[in-house]
Amino acid sequence: MVRFITTAVLLFCSAVFGQAKFEQSMGESLALWGQGKPTEASAKIERIASVEKANWLPNYYIGMINTTEAFKPENREKATALLEKAQKAVDEAAIISPNNAEIMVLQALVYTAWIVQDPMTNGMKYSNKAMEQYFKAQAIAPNNPRVVFCKAEFEIGGAKWTGADTKPLCAQVEKSIELFATFKPETALHPNWGLDRAKKTLENCTK
């Protein structure tokens, strides 16, 4: 019995230490991203992902970093490579955590980044795919602020081409801001972004 208890305590301590190390490493990686070092951040998280094979968050952030970089005009020449890396990471995250609304939103953002690179060629190819991801995410997590906001933001972008009324979409952006106010991420490392963008989008709605 004593041996069993000792073993259990050691396993528990090992798990706690492992989680603390993971959180520290991820925190350092995200800090690099915040310092304007996306390549270094992505590389460091790739190393974490190679160890944390059962955790979807490292691959999520690899996808997020590379997708965000692909949106930047100055990275246009590197956009294809960035989005291919992002897609691979999103695929890995989805295998680890299927039916995850956060990953679906990220997948939709990858599709949106492809559209931004070449709207005439990629618009028809990826618009429906992006909306499919948003609808799936909405069915799983209708009160997730990123689901509500990003879906509305994407549709507002499409309205510029179709001439659709944006008032209902702006109302959804406003709703997302209310949801952000009460949203509690599972941990400090779980996705918690989007509020600033939602506020800026709402400001543009009222102009």
Side-chain angles (χ1 to χ4, degrees), residues 54-72:
N55 193 324
W56 61 275
L57 286 170
N59 279 299
Y60 174 88
Y61 282 109
I62 294 168
M64 177 60 72
I65 290 170
N66 285 280
T67 301
T68 301
E69 290 303 301
F71 274 109
K72 296 180 178 180

Side-chain angles (χ1 to χ4, degrees), residues 148 152 156 166-178 202 205:
V148 176
I156 289 171
T166 60
K167 287 183 180 178
L169 302 175
C170 290
Q172 287 298 300
V173 174
E174 189 169 10
K175 176 184 176 182
S176 77
I177 293 172
E178 295 172 358
L202 187 61
C205 276

Side-chain angles (χ1 to χ4, degrees), residues 9-61:
V9 169
L10 289 174
L11 288 172
F12 174 76
C13 291
S14 177
V16 170
F17 176 76
Q19 181 64 21
K21 186 176 181 180
F22 166 72
E23 290 177 355
Q24 179 182 351
S25 296
M26 283 295 296
E28 291 171 352
S29 302
L30 295 176
L32 285 173
W33 187 24
Q35 294 164 10
K37 300 176 181 178
T39 303
E40 294 88 336
S42 181
K44 186 174 177 65
I45 299 176
E46 284 175 45
R47 292 193 291 273
I48 297 171
S50 69
V51 176
E52 298 286 338
K53 296 183 182 298
N55 193 324
W56 61 275
L57 286 170
N59 279 299
Y60 174 88
Y61 282 109

Side-chain angles (χ1 to χ4, degrees), residues 65-187:
I65 290 170
N66 285 280
T67 301
T68 301
E69 290 303 301
F71 274 109
K72 296 180 178 180
E74 63 267 28
N75 289 332
R76 187 172 184 81
E77 296 299 318
K78 299 185 291 183
T80 296
L82 289 167
L83 290 174
E84 287 175 351
K85 178 175 282 192
Q87 186 62 64
K88 181 180 178 182
V90 171
D91 290 342
E92 291 291 333
I95 291 171
I96 297 168
S97 182
N99 299 318
N100 185 319
E102 299 285 4
I103 297 173
M104 291 171 186
V105 168
L106 178 54
Q107 177 65 82
L109 290 175
V110 173
Y111 291 145
T112 305
W114 279 116
I115 294 171
V116 168
Q117 302 312 309
D118 189 346
M120 297 303 293
T121 302
N122 294 335
M124 292 293 291
K125 183 177 180 180
Y126 290 109
S127 291
N128 288 339
K129 290 184 177 182
M131 284 305 300
E132 180 183 2
Q133 291 297 312
Y134 285 129
F135 282 128
K136 287 169 65 177
Q138 189 177 45
I140 294 169
N143 292 319
N144 181 303
R146 273 166 299 287
V147 172
V148 176
F149 166 61
C150 290
K151 179 176 179 291
E153 183 186 43
F154 183 77
E155 291 179 292
I156 289 171
K160 296 176 182 178
W161 299 88
T162 64
D165 183 10
T166 60
K167 287 183 180 178
L169 302 175
C170 290
Q172 287 298 300
V173 174
E174 189 169 10
K175 176 184 176 182
S176 77
I177 293 172
E178 295 172 358
L179 292 171
F180 274 115
T182 58
F183 180 80
K184 296 290 189 295
E186 186 176 329
T187 71

